[in-house]
Amino acid sequence: DTGVSQNPRHKITKRGQNVTFRCDPISEHNRLYWYRQTLGQGPEFLTYFQNEAQLEKSRLLSDRFSAERPKGSFSTLEIQRTEQGDSAMYLCASSLEVHEQYFGPGTRLTVT
Amino acid sequence: GDSVTQMEGPVTLSEEAFLTINCTYTATGYPSLFWYVQYPGEGLQLLLKATKADDKGSNKGFEATYRKETTSFHLEKGSVQVSDSAVYFCALLKRPGGGADGLTFGKGTHLIIQP
């Protein structure tokens, strides 16, 4: 069990640029989640996949955000035209059973 | 909407002290409840869970009981160690089919244990 991995671990970008993050879940897990965490706050749910189907999106996920999980394995989260308010830690989690979500180390995004 | 409220930190205790971190929730229906822990420099880890009223979750000496009547899930440990220093998050999850499958987290409580 290698755990959930996320790449890159850190990303610094200029306002207006596009960024893409990758999440590799635990291999047999069919559920995959994205969360965002800002300093001093708990993680906030963004979106959820079951296999390749995106089943739920939070209202926090603006039109500039898009997530995919093309083959039901890894997932990508893209942010277009980044804004300073997008600076946060982006967390990925996966699960086989709905009550046990395993989190990755996160990708820290800084928008300058 | 759903929400989780937990006591603000930092909470500073001496080693071997008794720990309580309060957590209350607001949700429709009967959510499942969780405590996650984040050690310095590490990712979130599930500490314990309870999926129905009166259930007690326990792990590593920590316990929490799902109290539906008070909508609470307080975290307790009888004797804390320096290694318990971390940020603790209370979270809820609605029942599958009840809508969201994403966790709703509290803001976190930073626990500092002094030797």
Side-chain angles (χ1 to χ4, degrees), chain A residues 31 33 35 37 40-43 45 48 56 91 97-101 103-104, chain B residues 32 34 36 38 43-44 46 49 51 89 93 96 99-103 105-107:
Chain A
R31 298 166 182 261
Y33 311 79
Y35 294 82
Q37 185 177 18
Q41 303 294 316
F45 171 71
Y48 155 61
E56 187 180 355
L91 300 171
E97 190 271 324
V98 69
H99 291 115
E100 304 247 354
Q101 294 186 24
F103 282 80
Chain B
S32 297
F34 305 82
Y36 278 80
Q38 189 168 33
L44 279 166
L46 177 63
K49 67 181 181 185
T51 58
F89 293 92
L93 179 70
D101 273 340
L103 291 160
F105 284 88
K107 291 186 176 182

PDB file of all heavy atoms in Angstrom, chain A residues 31 33 35 37 40-43 45 48 56 91 97-101 103-104, chain B residues 32 34 36 38 43-44 46 49 51 89 93 96 99-103 105-107:
ATOM      1  N   ARG A  31     -13.293   5.328  -5.296  1.00  0.00           N
ATOM      2  CA  ARG A  31     -13.787   6.676  -5.002  1.00  0.00           C
ATOM      3  C   ARG A  31     -12.609   7.627  -4.842  1.00  0.00           C
ATOM      4  O   ARG A  31     -11.612   7.280  -4.202  1.00  0.00           O
ATOM      5  CB  ARG A  31     -14.597   6.672  -3.712  1.00  0.00           C
ATOM      6  CG  ARG A  31     -15.835   5.798  -3.757  1.00  0.00           C
ATOM      7  CD  ARG A  31     -16.390   5.576  -2.363  1.00  0.00           C
ATOM      8  NE  ARG A  31     -17.554   4.698  -2.367  1.00  0.00           N
ATOM      9  CZ  ARG A  31     -18.802   5.127  -2.322  1.00  0.00           C
ATOM     10  NH1 ARG A  31     -19.052   6.408  -2.262  1.00  0.00           N
ATOM     11  NH2 ARG A  31     -19.799   4.264  -2.330  1.00  0.00           N
ATOM     12  N   TYR A  33     -11.673  11.953  -4.146  1.00  0.00           N
ATOM     13  CA  TYR A  33     -12.220  13.232  -3.692  1.00  0.00           C
ATOM     14  C   TYR A  33     -11.138  14.310  -3.798  1.00  0.00           C
ATOM     15  O   TYR A  33      -9.956  14.039  -3.585  1.00  0.00           O
ATOM     16  CB  TYR A  33     -12.626  13.150  -2.216  1.00  0.00           C
ATOM     17  CG  TYR A  33     -13.484  11.956  -1.851  1.00  0.00           C
ATOM     18  CD1 TYR A  33     -12.915  10.703  -1.658  1.00  0.00           C
ATOM     19  CD2 TYR A  33     -14.857  12.088  -1.673  1.00  0.00           C
ATOM     20  CE1 TYR A  33     -13.681   9.608  -1.313  1.00  0.00           C
ATOM     21  CE2 TYR A  33     -15.636  10.999  -1.316  1.00  0.00           C
ATOM     22  CZ  TYR A  33     -15.041   9.758  -1.139  1.00  0.00           C
ATOM     23  OH  TYR A  33     -15.815   8.678  -0.792  1.00  0.00           O
ATOM     24  N   TYR A  35     -10.305  18.188  -2.147  1.00  0.00           N
ATOM     25  CA  TYR A  35     -10.630  19.178  -1.134  1.00  0.00           C
ATOM     26  C   TYR A  35      -9.651  20.348  -1.257  1.00  0.00           C
ATOM     27  O   TYR A  35      -8.554  20.202  -1.801  1.00  0.00           O
ATOM     28  CB  TYR A  35     -10.473  18.594   0.284  1.00  0.00           C
ATOM     29  CG  TYR A  35     -11.438  17.502   0.661  1.00  0.00           C
ATOM     30  CD1 TYR A  35     -11.221  16.181   0.269  1.00  0.00           C
ATOM     31  CD2 TYR A  35     -12.566  17.779   1.421  1.00  0.00           C
ATOM     32  CE1 TYR A  35     -12.104  15.169   0.622  1.00  0.00           C
ATOM     33  CE2 TYR A  35     -13.461  16.775   1.797  1.00  0.00           C
ATOM     34  CZ  TYR A  35     -13.219  15.481   1.385  1.00  0.00           C
ATOM     35  OH  TYR A  35     -14.098  14.481   1.748  1.00  0.00           O
ATOM     36  N   GLN A  37      -7.846  23.402   1.269  1.00  0.00           N
ATOM     37  CA  GLN A  37      -7.651  23.840   2.655  1.00  0.00           C
ATOM     38  C   GLN A  37      -6.851  25.125   2.679  1.00  0.00           C
ATOM     39  O   GLN A  37      -5.734  25.174   2.145  1.00  0.00           O
ATOM     40  CB  GLN A  37      -6.923  22.754   3.461  1.00  0.00           C
ATOM     41  CG  GLN A  37      -6.782  23.087   4.940  1.00  0.00           C
ATOM     42  CD  GLN A  37      -6.121  21.976   5.716  1.00  0.00           C
ATOM     43  OE1 GLN A  37      -5.474  21.100   5.150  1.00  0.00           O
ATOM     44  NE2 GLN A  37      -6.289  21.987   7.035  1.00  0.00           N
ATOM     45  N   GLY A  40      -5.461  27.839   8.579  1.00  0.00           N
ATOM     46  CA  GLY A  40      -6.309  28.003   9.751  1.00  0.00           C
ATOM     47  C   GLY A  40      -7.715  27.469   9.599  1.00  0.00           C
ATOM     48  O   GLY A  40      -8.546  27.642  10.492  1.00  0.00           O
ATOM     49  N   GLN A  41      -7.981  26.811   8.481  1.00  0.00           N
ATOM     50  CA  GLN A  41      -9.316  26.269   8.233  1.00  0.00           C
ATOM     51  C   GLN A  41      -9.240  24.767   8.018  1.00  0.00           C
ATOM     52  O   GLN A  41      -8.184  24.220   7.709  1.00  0.00           O
ATOM     53  CB  GLN A  41      -9.936  26.919   6.998  1.00  0.00           C
ATOM     54  CG  GLN A  41     -10.029  28.422   7.057  1.00  0.00           C
ATOM     55  CD  GLN A  41     -10.984  28.892   8.126  1.00  0.00           C
ATOM     56  OE1 GLN A  41     -12.080  28.356   8.291  1.00  0.00           O
ATOM     57  NE2 GLN A  41     -10.582  29.908   8.883  1.00  0.00           N
ATOM     58  N   GLY A  42     -10.377  24.119   8.158  1.00  0.00           N
ATOM     59  CA  GLY A  42     -10.439  22.722   7.796  1.00  0.00           C
ATOM     60  C   GLY A  42     -10.593  22.561   6.298  1.00  0.00           C
ATOM     61  O   GLY A  42     -10.949  23.509   5.590  1.00  0.00           O
ATOM     62  N   PRO A  43     -10.331  21.370   5.793  1.00  0.00           N
ATOM     63  CA  PRO A  43     -10.518  21.137   4.348  1.00  0.00           C
ATOM     64  C   PRO A  43     -11.974  21.354   3.939  1.00  0.00           C
ATOM     65  O   PRO A  43     -12.894  21.067   4.699  1.00  0.00           O
ATOM     66  CB  PRO A  43     -10.119  19.658   4.188  1.00  0.00           C
ATOM     67  CG  PRO A  43      -9.223  19.371   5.349  1.00  0.00           C
ATOM     68  CD  PRO A  43      -9.773  20.200   6.475  1.00  0.00           C
ATOM     69  N   PHE A  45     -14.728  20.459   0.849  1.00  0.00           N
ATOM     70  CA  PHE A  45     -14.982  19.524  -0.244  1.00  0.00           C
ATOM     71  C   PHE A  45     -15.157  20.270  -1.565  1.00  0.00           C
ATOM     72  O   PHE A  45     -15.865  21.273  -1.632  1.00  0.00           O
ATOM     73  CB  PHE A  45     -16.235  18.723   0.091  1.00  0.00           C
ATOM     74  CG  PHE A  45     -16.752  17.870  -1.022  1.00  0.00           C
ATOM     75  CD1 PHE A  45     -16.070  16.732  -1.413  1.00  0.00           C
ATOM     76  CD2 PHE A  45     -17.908  18.211  -1.688  1.00  0.00           C
ATOM     77  CE1 PHE A  45     -16.550  15.938  -2.435  1.00  0.00           C
ATOM     78  CE2 PHE A  45     -18.397  17.423  -2.710  1.00  0.00           C
ATOM     79  CZ  PHE A  45     -17.720  16.280  -3.092  1.00  0.00           C
ATOM     80  N   TYR A  48     -16.092  14.952  -6.291  1.00  0.00           N
ATOM     81  CA  TYR A  48     -16.028  13.525  -5.965  1.00  0.00           C
ATOM     82  C   TYR A  48     -16.254  12.697  -7.221  1.00  0.00           C
ATOM     83  O   TYR A  48     -17.133  13.011  -8.031  1.00  0.00           O
ATOM     84  CB  TYR A  48     -17.086  13.246  -4.902  1.00  0.00           C
ATOM     85  CG  TYR A  48     -17.614  11.850  -4.810  1.00  0.00           C
ATOM     86  CD1 TYR A  48     -16.764  10.789  -4.516  1.00  0.00           C
ATOM     87  CD2 TYR A  48     -18.969  11.583  -4.978  1.00  0.00           C
ATOM     88  CE1 TYR A  48     -17.259   9.497  -4.409  1.00  0.00           C
ATOM     89  CE2 TYR A  48     -19.469  10.303  -4.866  1.00  0.00           C
ATOM     90  CZ  TYR A  48     -18.608   9.270  -4.572  1.00  0.00           C
ATOM     91  OH  TYR A  48     -19.104   7.995  -4.468  1.00  0.00           O
ATOM     92  N   GLU A  56     -20.384  14.511  -7.993  1.00  0.00           N
ATOM     93  CA  GLU A  56     -20.782  15.653  -7.185  1.00  0.00           C
ATOM     94  C   GLU A  56     -19.759  16.764  -7.297  1.00  0.00           C
ATOM     95  O   GLU A  56     -18.556  16.508  -7.359  1.00  0.00           O
ATOM     96  CB  GLU A  56     -20.926  15.246  -5.724  1.00  0.00           C
ATOM     97  CG  GLU A  56     -21.496  16.346  -4.846  1.00  0.00           C
ATOM     98  CD  GLU A  56     -21.616  15.921  -3.409  1.00  0.00           C
ATOM     99  OE1 GLU A  56     -21.340  14.751  -3.116  1.00  0.00           O
ATOM    100  OE2 GLU A  56     -21.987  16.772  -2.588  1.00  0.00           O
ATOM    101  N   LEU A  91      -6.019  19.040  -1.540  1.00  0.00           N
ATOM    102  CA  LEU A  91      -5.900  17.686  -1.014  1.00  0.00           C
ATOM    103  C   LEU A  91      -6.720  16.715  -1.847  1.00  0.00           C
ATOM    104  O   LEU A  91      -7.831  17.030  -2.275  1.00  0.00           O
ATOM    105  CB  LEU A  91      -6.413  17.636   0.427  1.00  0.00           C
ATOM    106  CG  LEU A  91      -5.711  18.530   1.447  1.00  0.00           C
ATOM    107  CD1 LEU A  91      -6.472  18.520   2.759  1.00  0.00           C
ATOM    108  CD2 LEU A  91      -4.287  18.066   1.647  1.00  0.00           C
ATOM    109  N   GLU A  97     -14.308   2.033   0.788  1.00  0.00           N
ATOM    110  CA  GLU A  97     -15.524   2.036   1.588  1.00  0.00           C
ATOM    111  C   GLU A  97     -15.832   3.477   1.966  1.00  0.00           C
ATOM    112  O   GLU A  97     -14.922   4.251   2.288  1.00  0.00           O
ATOM    113  CB  GLU A  97     -15.300   1.161   2.824  1.00  0.00           C
ATOM    114  CG  GLU A  97     -16.525   0.860   3.627  1.00  0.00           C
ATOM    115  CD  GLU A  97     -16.811   1.901   4.694  1.00  0.00           C
ATOM    116  OE1 GLU A  97     -15.841   2.422   5.276  1.00  0.00           O
ATOM    117  OE2 GLU A  97     -17.997   2.208   4.914  1.00  0.00           O
ATOM    118  N   VAL A  98     -17.091   3.877   1.907  1.00  0.00           N
ATOM    119  CA  VAL A  98     -17.432   5.287   1.968  1.00  0.00           C
ATOM    120  C   VAL A  98     -16.969   5.959   3.254  1.00  0.00           C
ATOM    121  O   VAL A  98     -16.732   7.170   3.283  1.00  0.00           O
ATOM    122  CB  VAL A  98     -18.943   5.476   1.749  1.00  0.00           C
ATOM    123  CG1 VAL A  98     -19.734   4.936   2.939  1.00  0.00           C
ATOM    124  CG2 VAL A  98     -19.282   6.925   1.498  1.00  0.00           C
ATOM    125  N   HIS A  99     -16.810   5.206   4.333  1.00  0.00           N
ATOM    126  CA  HIS A  99     -16.479   5.826   5.610  1.00  0.00           C
ATOM    127  C   HIS A  99     -14.989   5.943   5.880  1.00  0.00           C
ATOM    128  O   HIS A  99     -14.598   6.379   6.949  1.00  0.00           O
ATOM    129  CB  HIS A  99     -17.127   5.049   6.759  1.00  0.00           C
ATOM    130  CG  HIS A  99     -18.610   5.186   6.787  1.00  0.00           C
ATOM    131  ND1 HIS A  99     -19.466   4.136   6.582  1.00  0.00           N
ATOM    132  CD2 HIS A  99     -19.390   6.273   6.957  1.00  0.00           C
ATOM    133  CE1 HIS A  99     -20.708   4.565   6.649  1.00  0.00           C
ATOM    134  NE2 HIS A  99     -20.688   5.853   6.880  1.00  0.00           N
ATOM    135  N   GLU A 100     -14.145   5.533   4.960  1.00  0.00           N
ATOM    136  CA  GLU A 100     -12.712   5.561   5.225  1.00  0.00           C
ATOM    137  C   GLU A 100     -11.994   6.255   4.080  1.00  0.00           C
ATOM    138  O   GLU A 100     -11.579   5.620   3.120  1.00  0.00           O
ATOM    139  CB  GLU A 100     -12.178   4.137   5.363  1.00  0.00           C
ATOM    140  CG  GLU A 100     -12.873   3.308   6.409  1.00  0.00           C
ATOM    141  CD  GLU A 100     -11.976   2.973   7.574  1.00  0.00           C
ATOM    142  OE1 GLU A 100     -10.785   3.299   7.516  1.00  0.00           O
ATOM    143  OE2 GLU A 100     -12.481   2.380   8.545  1.00  0.00           O
ATOM    144  N   GLN A 101     -11.847   7.551   4.192  1.00  0.00           N
ATOM    145  CA  GLN A 101     -11.141   8.312   3.169  1.00  0.00           C
ATOM    146  C   GLN A 101      -9.689   8.466   3.591  1.00  0.00           C
ATOM    147  O   GLN A 101      -9.394   8.899   4.710  1.00  0.00           O
ATOM    148  CB  GLN A 101     -11.796   9.689   2.979  1.00  0.00           C
ATOM    149  CG  GLN A 101     -13.202   9.593   2.406  1.00  0.00           C
ATOM    150  CD  GLN A 101     -13.808  10.943   2.074  1.00  0.00           C
ATOM    151  OE1 GLN A 101     -13.109  11.926   1.848  1.00  0.00           O
ATOM    152  NE2 GLN A 101     -15.125  10.991   2.034  1.00  0.00           N
ATOM    153  N   PHE A 103      -6.123  10.327   2.826  1.00  0.00           N
ATOM    154  CA  PHE A 103      -5.688  11.576   2.232  1.00  0.00           C
ATOM    155  C   PHE A 103      -4.239  11.515   1.755  1.00  0.00           C
ATOM    156  O   PHE A 103      -3.392  10.861   2.380  1.00  0.00           O
ATOM    157  CB  PHE A 103      -5.829  12.720   3.230  1.00  0.00           C
ATOM    158  CG  PHE A 103      -7.238  13.209   3.376  1.00  0.00           C
ATOM    159  CD1 PHE A 103      -8.151  12.523   4.161  1.00  0.00           C
ATOM    160  CD2 PHE A 103      -7.665  14.345   2.717  1.00  0.00           C
ATOM    161  CE1 PHE A 103      -9.467  12.951   4.282  1.00  0.00           C
ATOM    162  CE2 PHE A 103      -8.970  14.796   2.830  1.00  0.00           C
ATOM    163  CZ  PHE A 103      -9.870  14.094   3.614  1.00  0.00           C
ATOM    164  N   GLY A 104      -3.977  12.235   0.681  1.00  0.00           N
ATOM    165  CA  GLY A 104      -2.625  12.444   0.213  1.00  0.00           C
ATOM    166  C   GLY A 104      -1.975  13.611   0.935  1.00  0.00           C
ATOM    167  O   GLY A 104      -2.617  14.280   1.744  1.00  0.00           O
TER     168      GLY A 104
ATOM    169  N   SER B  32     -22.456  10.275   9.707  1.00  0.00           N
ATOM    170  CA  SER B  32     -21.343   9.593  10.356  1.00  0.00           C
ATOM    171  C   SER B  32     -20.360  10.661  10.833  1.00  0.00           C
ATOM    172  O   SER B  32     -20.245  11.727  10.223  1.00  0.00           O
ATOM    173  CB  SER B  32     -20.651   8.648   9.381  1.00  0.00           C
ATOM    174  OG  SER B  32     -21.542   7.637   8.961  1.00  0.00           O
ATOM    175  N   PHE B  34     -16.380  11.716  12.484  1.00  0.00           N
ATOM    176  CA  PHE B  34     -14.976  11.328  12.383  1.00  0.00           C
ATOM    177  C   PHE B  34     -14.100  12.315  13.151  1.00  0.00           C
ATOM    178  O   PHE B  34     -14.431  13.492  13.295  1.00  0.00           O
ATOM    179  CB  PHE B  34     -14.506  11.357  10.912  1.00  0.00           C
ATOM    180  CG  PHE B  34     -15.333  10.541   9.983  1.00  0.00           C
ATOM    181  CD1 PHE B  34     -16.511  11.031   9.458  1.00  0.00           C
ATOM    182  CD2 PHE B  34     -14.937   9.267   9.629  1.00  0.00           C
ATOM    183  CE1 PHE B  34     -17.291  10.282   8.599  1.00  0.00           C
ATOM    184  CE2 PHE B  34     -15.694   8.499   8.759  1.00  0.00           C
ATOM    185  CZ  PHE B  34     -16.873   9.011   8.252  1.00  0.00           C
ATOM    186  N   TYR B  36     -10.075  13.341  12.507  1.00  0.00           N
ATOM    187  CA  TYR B  36      -8.844  13.203  11.749  1.00  0.00           C
ATOM    188  C   TYR B  36      -7.740  13.940  12.495  1.00  0.00           C
ATOM    189  O   TYR B  36      -7.983  14.922  13.203  1.00  0.00           O
ATOM    190  CB  TYR B  36      -8.992  13.812  10.346  1.00  0.00           C
ATOM    191  CG  TYR B  36      -9.667  12.912   9.345  1.00  0.00           C
ATOM    192  CD1 TYR B  36     -11.051  12.768   9.306  1.00  0.00           C
ATOM    193  CD2 TYR B  36      -8.912  12.184   8.424  1.00  0.00           C
ATOM    194  CE1 TYR B  36     -11.654  11.935   8.380  1.00  0.00           C
ATOM    195  CE2 TYR B  36      -9.512  11.349   7.498  1.00  0.00           C
ATOM    196  CZ  TYR B  36     -10.887  11.229   7.489  1.00  0.00           C
ATOM    197  OH  TYR B  36     -11.492  10.399   6.567  1.00  0.00           O
ATOM    198  N   GLN B  38      -3.679  15.577  12.045  1.00  0.00           N
ATOM    199  CA  GLN B  38      -2.605  15.989  11.128  1.00  0.00           C
ATOM    200  C   GLN B  38      -1.368  16.291  11.955  1.00  0.00           C
ATOM    201  O   GLN B  38      -1.304  17.320  12.647  1.00  0.00           O
ATOM    202  CB  GLN B  38      -3.045  17.208  10.329  1.00  0.00           C
ATOM    203  CG  GLN B  38      -2.101  17.589   9.218  1.00  0.00           C
ATOM    204  CD  GLN B  38      -2.724  18.606   8.272  1.00  0.00           C
ATOM    205  OE1 GLN B  38      -3.519  19.450   8.666  1.00  0.00           O
ATOM    206  NE2 GLN B  38      -2.380  18.519   7.001  1.00  0.00           N
ATOM    207  N   GLY B  43       0.231  14.345   6.202  1.00  0.00           N
ATOM    208  CA  GLY B  43      -1.138  14.500   5.713  1.00  0.00           C
ATOM    209  C   GLY B  43      -2.159  14.105   6.758  1.00  0.00           C
ATOM    210  O   GLY B  43      -1.835  13.571   7.813  1.00  0.00           O
ATOM    211  N   LEU B  44      -3.419  14.360   6.439  1.00  0.00           N
ATOM    212  CA  LEU B  44      -4.520  14.002   7.332  1.00  0.00           C
ATOM    213  C   LEU B  44      -4.625  12.485   7.481  1.00  0.00           C
ATOM    214  O   LEU B  44      -4.555  11.761   6.487  1.00  0.00           O
ATOM    215  CB  LEU B  44      -5.836  14.512   6.760  1.00  0.00           C
ATOM    216  CG  LEU B  44      -6.187  15.974   6.984  1.00  0.00           C
ATOM    217  CD1 LEU B  44      -7.327  16.368   6.066  1.00  0.00           C
ATOM    218  CD2 LEU B  44      -6.555  16.221   8.427  1.00  0.00           C
ATOM    219  N   LEU B  46      -7.065   9.398   9.371  1.00  0.00           N
ATOM    220  CA  LEU B  46      -8.260   9.071  10.130  1.00  0.00           C
ATOM    221  C   LEU B  46      -7.858   8.536  11.500  1.00  0.00           C
ATOM    222  O   LEU B  46      -7.080   7.575  11.596  1.00  0.00           O
ATOM    223  CB  LEU B  46      -9.087   8.031   9.374  1.00  0.00           C
ATOM    224  CG  LEU B  46     -10.350   7.530  10.072  1.00  0.00           C
ATOM    225  CD1 LEU B  46     -11.342   8.662  10.285  1.00  0.00           C
ATOM    226  CD2 LEU B  46     -10.989   6.406   9.257  1.00  0.00           C
ATOM    227  N   LYS B  49     -13.799   6.845  14.161  1.00  0.00           N
ATOM    228  CA  LYS B  49     -15.075   7.168  13.541  1.00  0.00           C
ATOM    229  C   LYS B  49     -16.213   6.523  14.324  1.00  0.00           C
ATOM    230  O   LYS B  49     -16.011   5.590  15.105  1.00  0.00           O
ATOM    231  CB  LYS B  49     -15.113   6.666  12.095  1.00  0.00           C
ATOM    232  CG  LYS B  49     -15.100   5.144  12.000  1.00  0.00           C
ATOM    233  CD  LYS B  49     -15.115   4.665  10.562  1.00  0.00           C
ATOM    234  CE  LYS B  49     -15.123   3.138  10.533  1.00  0.00           C
ATOM    235  NZ  LYS B  49     -15.022   2.602   9.170  1.00  0.00           N
ATOM    236  N   THR B  51     -20.454   5.624  13.264  1.00  0.00           N
ATOM    237  CA  THR B  51     -21.412   5.724  12.167  1.00  0.00           C
ATOM    238  C   THR B  51     -22.864   5.794  12.613  1.00  0.00           C
ATOM    239  O   THR B  51     -23.743   6.034  11.782  1.00  0.00           O
ATOM    240  CB  THR B  51     -21.244   4.545  11.199  1.00  0.00           C
ATOM    241  OG1 THR B  51     -21.418   3.334  11.929  1.00  0.00           O
ATOM    242  CG2 THR B  51     -19.857   4.561  10.568  1.00  0.00           C
ATOM    243  N   PHE B  89      -9.002  17.432  13.652  1.00  0.00           N
ATOM    244  CA  PHE B  89     -10.172  17.901  12.925  1.00  0.00           C
ATOM    245  C   PHE B  89     -11.356  16.973  13.176  1.00  0.00           C
ATOM    246  O   PHE B  89     -11.248  15.754  12.998  1.00  0.00           O
ATOM    247  CB  PHE B  89      -9.909  17.922  11.413  1.00  0.00           C
ATOM    248  CG  PHE B  89      -8.889  18.925  10.967  1.00  0.00           C
ATOM    249  CD1 PHE B  89      -7.553  18.578  10.855  1.00  0.00           C
ATOM    250  CD2 PHE B  89      -9.264  20.217  10.643  1.00  0.00           C
ATOM    251  CE1 PHE B  89      -6.608  19.496  10.435  1.00  0.00           C
ATOM    252  CE2 PHE B  89      -8.335  21.153  10.224  1.00  0.00           C
ATOM    253  CZ  PHE B  89      -7.009  20.790  10.118  1.00  0.00           C
ATOM    254  N   LEU B  93     -20.006  13.133   7.759  1.00  0.00           N
ATOM    255  CA  LEU B  93     -20.332  12.643   6.422  1.00  0.00           C
ATOM    256  C   LEU B  93     -21.776  12.199   6.440  1.00  0.00           C
ATOM    257  O   LEU B  93     -22.166  11.393   7.278  1.00  0.00           O
ATOM    258  CB  LEU B  93     -19.437  11.466   6.043  1.00  0.00           C
ATOM    259  CG  LEU B  93     -19.678  10.822   4.686  1.00  0.00           C
ATOM    260  CD1 LEU B  93     -19.234  11.766   3.573  1.00  0.00           C
ATOM    261  CD2 LEU B  93     -18.923   9.499   4.574  1.00  0.00           C
ATOM    262  N   PRO B  96     -24.629   7.656   2.851  1.00  0.00           N
ATOM    263  CA  PRO B  96     -24.675   7.428   1.408  1.00  0.00           C
ATOM    264  C   PRO B  96     -26.099   7.502   0.912  1.00  0.00           C
ATOM    265  O   PRO B  96     -27.005   6.928   1.518  1.00  0.00           O
ATOM    266  CB  PRO B  96     -24.099   6.024   1.251  1.00  0.00           C
ATOM    267  CG  PRO B  96     -23.252   5.835   2.444  1.00  0.00           C
ATOM    268  CD  PRO B  96     -23.926   6.611   3.560  1.00  0.00           C
ATOM    269  N   GLY B  99     -27.082  12.516  -0.056  1.00  0.00           N
ATOM    270  CA  GLY B  99     -26.606  13.739  -0.701  1.00  0.00           C
ATOM    271  C   GLY B  99     -25.103  13.720  -0.837  1.00  0.00           C
ATOM    272  O   GLY B  99     -24.551  12.990  -1.643  1.00  0.00           O
ATOM    273  N   ALA B 100     -24.408  14.488  -0.032  1.00  0.00           N
ATOM    274  CA  ALA B 100     -22.979  14.681  -0.200  1.00  0.00           C
ATOM    275  C   ALA B 100     -22.202  13.468   0.271  1.00  0.00           C
ATOM    276  O   ALA B 100     -22.520  12.865   1.284  1.00  0.00           O
ATOM    277  CB  ALA B 100     -22.535  15.917   0.562  1.00  0.00           C
ATOM    278  N   ASP B 101     -21.174  13.133  -0.477  1.00  0.00           N
ATOM    279  CA  ASP B 101     -20.215  12.139  -0.011  1.00  0.00           C
ATOM    280  C   ASP B 101     -18.919  12.783   0.406  1.00  0.00           C
ATOM    281  O   ASP B 101     -17.975  12.090   0.768  1.00  0.00           O
ATOM    282  CB  ASP B 101     -19.949  11.097  -1.110  1.00  0.00           C
ATOM    283  CG  ASP B 101     -20.964   9.964  -1.054  1.00  0.00           C
ATOM    284  OD1 ASP B 101     -21.600   9.783  -0.001  1.00  0.00           O
ATOM    285  OD2 ASP B 101     -21.115   9.285  -2.073  1.00  0.00           O
ATOM    286  N   GLY B 102     -18.869  14.110   0.326  1.00  0.00           N
ATOM    287  CA  GLY B 102     -17.688  14.803   0.798  1.00  0.00           C
ATOM    288  C   GLY B 102     -17.802  15.072   2.287  1.00  0.00           C
ATOM    289  O   GLY B 102     -18.881  15.305   2.825  1.00  0.00           O
ATOM    290  N   LEU B 103     -16.674  14.999   2.966  1.00  0.00           N
ATOM    291  CA  LEU B 103     -16.631  15.300   4.390  1.00  0.00           C
ATOM    292  C   LEU B 103     -16.792  16.796   4.627  1.00  0.00           C
ATOM    293  O   LEU B 103     -16.287  17.610   3.853  1.00  0.00           O
ATOM    294  CB  LEU B 103     -15.296  14.845   4.974  1.00  0.00           C
ATOM    295  CG  LEU B 103     -15.067  13.328   5.055  1.00  0.00           C
ATOM    296  CD1 LEU B 103     -13.586  13.016   5.170  1.00  0.00           C
ATOM    297  CD2 LEU B 103     -15.835  12.742   6.217  1.00  0.00           C
ATOM    298  N   PHE B 105     -15.687  19.445   7.434  1.00  0.00           N
ATOM    299  CA  PHE B 105     -14.723  19.529   8.521  1.00  0.00           C
ATOM    300  C   PHE B 105     -14.957  20.752   9.398  1.00  0.00           C
ATOM    301  O   PHE B 105     -15.452  21.785   8.931  1.00  0.00           O
ATOM    302  CB  PHE B 105     -13.304  19.649   7.952  1.00  0.00           C
ATOM    303  CG  PHE B 105     -12.726  18.377   7.414  1.00  0.00           C
ATOM    304  CD1 PHE B 105     -12.937  18.006   6.101  1.00  0.00           C
ATOM    305  CD2 PHE B 105     -11.938  17.563   8.216  1.00  0.00           C
ATOM    306  CE1 PHE B 105     -12.393  16.841   5.585  1.00  0.00           C
ATOM    307  CE2 PHE B 105     -11.378  16.393   7.712  1.00  0.00           C
ATOM    308  CZ  PHE B 105     -11.608  16.037   6.395  1.00  0.00           C
ATOM    309  N   GLY B 106     -14.545  20.627  10.676  1.00  0.00           N
ATOM    310  CA  GLY B 106     -14.392  21.800  11.515  1.00  0.00           C
ATOM    311  C   GLY B 106     -13.082  22.506  11.179  1.00  0.00           C
ATOM    312  O   GLY B 106     -12.320  22.058  10.313  1.00  0.00           O
ATOM    313  N   LYS B 107     -12.796  23.589  11.898  1.00  0.00           N
ATOM    314  CA  LYS B 107     -11.619  24.390  11.592  1.00  0.00           C
ATOM    315  C   LYS B 107     -10.328  23.789  12.131  1.00  0.00           C
ATOM    316  O   LYS B 107      -9.237  24.248  11.773  1.00  0.00           O
ATOM    317  CB  LYS B 107     -11.785  25.799  12.149  1.00  0.00           C
ATOM    318  CG  LYS B 107     -12.849  26.610  11.433  1.00  0.00           C
ATOM    319  CD  LYS B 107     -12.876  28.037  11.929  1.00  0.00           C
ATOM    320  CE  LYS B 107     -13.888  28.856  11.139  1.00  0.00           C
ATOM    321  NZ  LYS B 107     -13.901  30.281  11.566  1.00  0.00           N
TER     322      LYS B 107
END
